[in-house]
Amino acid sequence: SRRPSIYYRPINPNDLDRLEQIHRDIFPIKYESEFFQSVVNGVGIVSWAAVDRSRPDGHCDELIGFVTAKFVLAKESEIDDLICYDSSQGEETLIYILTLGVVESYRNHGIAMSLISGVIRYASGLSLCRGVYLHVIAYNNPAIRLYNRLMFRCVRRLNGFYLIKRQHFDAFLFVYFVNGS
Ligand code: ACO
């Protein structure tokens, strides 16, 4: 069989339909169309895509994985108490990961690991950025293993954070500190 040849690139407006479809397929939560518009147009959102260049024409640039994130002011975040504030250069920020996904047939190849490592590298390059954080539903073991392996720290368990089909589920809050926080 073909050997996948994974490339990482920014998400662009041509990715809209595929991005929506994958979100629908793999997340239990519904995302509004404004969210997808903001992602593909890069309005207040930073994102990266994974594609498999070895796929036949017409598919070689199609999303097979993605990560989406937004900037949050550290002071206004729910982990404001965990941040070290020492800057006279401006306001400290955090990157909050909104969604991360890899289509099923491409899992267990390290693609999510590369996507999240890319976010950490990006955050580390921004001197005012103090960390990358996210919520994960408490039963999502593959995702939790991934964040643990990447040395994220689990700093909170949030009771009933997610409401899915009228049922509450706990979330873990994971943080990866950068730039001395
Ligand atoms: N060969 C063999 N195994 C490998 C390789 C490799 N080259 N590279 C990594 N692996 C293993 C890892 O060690 C890991 O093993 P483990 O599960 O025993 O710990 C496993 O493969 C998965 O790691 P990755 O390949 O980096 O992750 P993947 O690309 O499969 O994506 C993800 C993980 C994103 C959680 C995927 O399962 C998914 O899309 N799930 C549905 C959506 C989801 O849950 N998203 C996260 C929600 S949290 C949030 O969005 C903030």
Side-chain angles (χ1 to χ4, degrees), residues 26-27 31 97-103 106-114 134-137 140-143 145-147 149 162:
I26 70 176
F27 293 117
Y31 292 90
I97 295 186
L98 294 157
T99 61
L100 164 74
V102 173
V103 301
Y106 281 91
R107 288 185 192 163
N108 303 315
H109 284 83
I111 294 172
M113 175 95 102
S114 297
L134 58 92
H135 293 105
V136 57
I137 201 159
N140 189 345
N141 293 322
R145 278 199 304 274
L146 172 74
Y147 300 128
R149 205 171 331 107
Y162 289 105

Side-chain angles (χ1 to χ4, degrees), residues 77-124:
S77 76
E78 64 191 293
I79 52 166
D80 62 322
D81 54 320
L82 303 177
I83 306 305
C84 96
Y85 301 93
D86 61 355
S87 175
S88 48
Q89 317 296 103
E91 283 217 87
E92 288 81 359
T93 63
L94 293 166
I95 290 183
Y96 178 63
I97 295 186
L98 294 157
T99 61
L100 164 74
V102 173
V103 301
E104 232 171 274
S105 53
Y106 281 91
R107 288 185 192 163
N108 303 315
H109 284 83
I111 294 172
M113 175 95 102
S114 297
L115 285 164
I116 297 293
S117 303
V119 177
I120 291 172
R121 217 175 315 120
Y122 173 75
S124 306

Side-chain angles (χ1 to χ4, degrees), residues 24-42:
R24 239 182 289 121
D25 288 349
I26 70 176
F27 293 117
I29 293 168
K30 188 177 182 292
Y31 292 90
E32 300 303 325
S33 65
E34 296 80 67
F35 167 68
F36 299 109
Q37 287 294 344
S38 311
V39 173
V40 301
N41 295 307

Side-chain angles (χ1 to χ4, degrees), residues 4-5 13 16 19 23 33 41 43 47 51-52 63 72 83 97 100-101 104-105 111 115 134 179:
S5 162
L16 182 63
L19 186 73
H23 276 73
S33 65
N41 295 307
V43 180
S47 65
V51 300
D52 179 3
L63 295 204
V72 175
I83 306 305
I97 295 186
L100 164 74
E104 232 171 274
S105 53
I111 294 172
L115 285 164
L134 58 92
N179 296 320

